[in-house]
């Protein structure tokens, strides 16, 4: 309940700060799209950097706002201040569950977490494996894919959450605390993850957890009212994201140039970081393994229900949505043709 009250308080502050315009979708006389993005290597940054959506929708006013975690993005959706977002599967599972029940649709799979998210122990902390985290302090952004993976790693190792101290910190705050020696370990993602690795030891990656049955993904979600009012714009956004995925596969150097520009990295470093994620091919998105089609929703819905069940078992959410509810929140209209 404390998390719920915190979210409601954050929503109140966000509404106060943004005013009626943000909550009502901006200027009612203009077509607007408010996009929440995160600073991790992905096709979403290619869409932003190359202005693929702006070129496809010249009549729309498009704004991109950086967020540090999925929890803050969920807060923005509840406040009605975001239309489209890049967000992890764990916060989406929370968003589709009680008490949030956020009205949004999962319309794209940006990537599957691989070695680009990991649990790292700081050198000198005396931790060589996950069981060694007992009595230690670990940082991670709460309600994120990294938080979910941390809980899954602890559960797999037989370590109770109560046996250590988990601190809610955004990736940049983790780096600051790490440098001060305030943390013994952290579960985070690129690009900040690379800084942790320089003075730490990787205990487990999200790729390993996926193999063990606890996969996490980065998803593209769209507010339900926006889908209903602007289906053609959503199609354009899906095609732009597909174009970015194809670029990652077909021309990694060009993809890295755009990602590097957004993350202030060299093209070489950006390409190295992109190589640590798992990026689907656009033609795979409508397969039974992922989104599926309107006639047969894919296994992504099952993945989200499984994630919600794990969060419920960990007492992080109040209730688990049934499969039909989650399937209804997977946007498959026009697939696969809508992907271009």
């Amino acid at each position: 309940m404390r998390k719920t009250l915190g979210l409601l308080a954050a929503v109140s502050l966000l509404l106060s700060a943004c005013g009626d315009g943000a909550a009502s979708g901006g200027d009612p006389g203009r077509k607007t799209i408010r996009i929440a993005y995160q600073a991790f290597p992905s096709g979403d940054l290619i869409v932003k950097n190359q202005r693929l959506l702006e070129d496809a929708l010249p009549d729309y006013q498009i704004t991109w706002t950086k967020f540090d975690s999925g929890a803050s993005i969920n807060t923005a959706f509840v406040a009605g201040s975001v239309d489209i977002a890049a967000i992890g599967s764990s916060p989406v599972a929370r968003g589709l569950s009680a008490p949030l029940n956020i009205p949004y649709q999962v319309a794209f799979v940006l990537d599957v977490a691989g070695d680009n998210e990991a649990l790292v122990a700081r050198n000198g902390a005396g931790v060589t494996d996950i069981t060694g985290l007992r009595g230690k302090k670990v940082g991670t952004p709460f309600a994120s894919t990294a938080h979910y993976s941390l809980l899954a790693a602890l559960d797999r190792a037989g370590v109770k959450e109560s046996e250590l101290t988990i601190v809610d910190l955004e990736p940049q705050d983790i780096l600051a605390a790490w440098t001060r020696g305030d943390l013994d370990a952290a579960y985070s993602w690129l690009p900040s993850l690379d800084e942790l690795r320089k003075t730490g030891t990787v205990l487990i990656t999200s790729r390993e957890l996926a193999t063990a049955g606890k996969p996490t993904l980065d998803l593209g979600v769209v507010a339900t009212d926006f889908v209903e009012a602007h289906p053609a714009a959503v199609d354009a956004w899906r095609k732009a994201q597909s174009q970015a995925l194809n670029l990652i596969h077909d021309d990694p150097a060009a993809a890295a140039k755009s990602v590097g520009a957004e993350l202030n990295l060299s093209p070489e470093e950006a390409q190295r970081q992109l190589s640590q994620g798992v990026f689907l091919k656009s033609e795979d998105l409508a397969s039974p393994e992922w989104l599926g089609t309107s006639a047969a929703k894919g296994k992504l819905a099952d993945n989200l229900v499984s994630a919600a069940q794990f969060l419920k078992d960990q007492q992080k959410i109040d209730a688990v949505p049934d499969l039909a509810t989650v399937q209804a929140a997977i946007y498959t209209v026009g697939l696969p043709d809508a992907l271009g």
Side-chain angles (χ1 to χ4, degrees):
M1 179 60 72
R2 189 169 59 193
K3 292 291 287 184
T4 304
L5 292 175
L7 176 61
L8 293 175
V11 170
S12 178
L13 287 172
L14 184 60
L15 285 170
S16 298
C18 294
D20 293 340
S24 61
D27 182 356
R30 296 189 65 182
K31 295 180 179 178
T32 62
I33 306 178
R34 301 159 301 168
I35 302 177
Y37 76 99
Q38 298 191 62
F40 55 76
S42 70
D44 197 44
L45 294 185
I46 296 172
V47 174
K48 179 179 182 291
N49 180 261
Q50 297 190 6
R51 297 180 60 83
L52 299 181
L53 194 57
E54 286 83 353
D55 290 343
L57 298 171
D59 295 335
Y60 279 77
Q61 179 184 3
I62 300 171
T63 58
W64 294 76
T65 302
K66 180 183 172 183
F67 285 76
D68 290 326
S69 70
S72 56
I73 289 175
N74 272 343
T75 301
F77 270 112
V78 172
S81 59
V82 171
D83 301 309
I84 298 176
I87 181 172
S89 54
S90 178
V92 169
R94 286 175 180 259
L96 295 175
S97 303
L100 296 183
N101 298 315
I102 299 173
Y104 52 35
Q105 303 275 300
V106 179
F108 209 85
V109 179
L110 299 172
D111 66 79
V112 181
D115 299 325
N116 52 351
E117 285 193 3
L119 174 60
V120 184
R122 184 174 54 81
N123 292 342
V127 178
T128 58
D129 57 24
I130 295 171
T131 60
L133 293 175
R134 290 187 174 95
K136 301 295 186 179
K137 183 182 290 185
V138 182
T140 196
F142 280 10
S144 67
T145 51
H147 187 198
Y148 173 89
S149 295
L150 171 60
L151 296 176
L154 294 174
D155 183 67
R156 184 166 174 256
V159 179
K160 296 179 181 179
E161 185 180 355
S162 59
E163 293 181 288
L164 63 153
T165 301
I166 302 179
V167 185
D168 183 10
L169 294 172
E170 302 294 354
Q172 289 305 312
D173 296 324
I174 286 175
L175 283 181
W178 186 274
T179 302
R180 293 192 303 268
D182 293 344
L183 296 175
D184 299 302
Y187 209 123
S188 192
W189 54 77
L190 291 173
S192 61
L193 174 61
D194 262 356
E195 294 301 314
L196 303 180
R197 286 172 173 153
K198 291 177 181 178
T199 55
T201 301
V202 174
L203 301 180
I204 195 168
T205 69
S206 292
R207 186 189 300 272
E208 294 172 72
L209 285 169
T211 302
K214 287 290 185 290
T216 52
L217 311 94
D218 289 312
L219 304 172
V221 300
V222 186
T224 300
D225 60 356
F226 186 85
V227 170
E228 293 170 348
H230 303 276
V234 175
D235 283 350
W237 171 77
R238 290 191 294 183
K239 288 178 181 177
Q241 293 290 351
S242 294
Q243 187 177 340
L245 276 185
N246 291 336
L247 188 67
I248 290 172
H249 285 282
D250 299 338
D251 194 343
K257 183 177 180 180
S258 289
V259 170
E262 292 295 323
L263 296 177
N264 197 27
L265 300 173
S266 69
E268 294 76 18
E269 177 60 19
Q271 188 165 346
R272 188 187 69 81
Q273 292 195 11
L274 279 169
S275 70
Q276 296 178 59
V278 179
F279 297 93
L280 304 178
K281 293 185 177 180
S282 59
E283 58 264 29
D284 295 332
L285 292 171
S287 72
E289 190 68 24
W290 302 107
L291 295 170
T293 64
S294 295
K297 297 296 178 77
K299 292 181 181 178
L300 176 58
D302 301 81
N303 174 287
L304 292 172
V305 171
S306 176
Q309 182 62 59
F310 180 77
L311 292 170
K312 175 65 166 59
D313 293 342
Q314 297 288 322
Q315 300 181 332
K316 302 302 180 184
I317 59 175
D318 294 347
V320 178
D322 59 37
L323 180 60
T325 297
V326 177
Q327 287 177 331
I330 306 295
Y331 187 67
T332 55
V333 175
L335 294 184
D337 297 341
L339 297 174

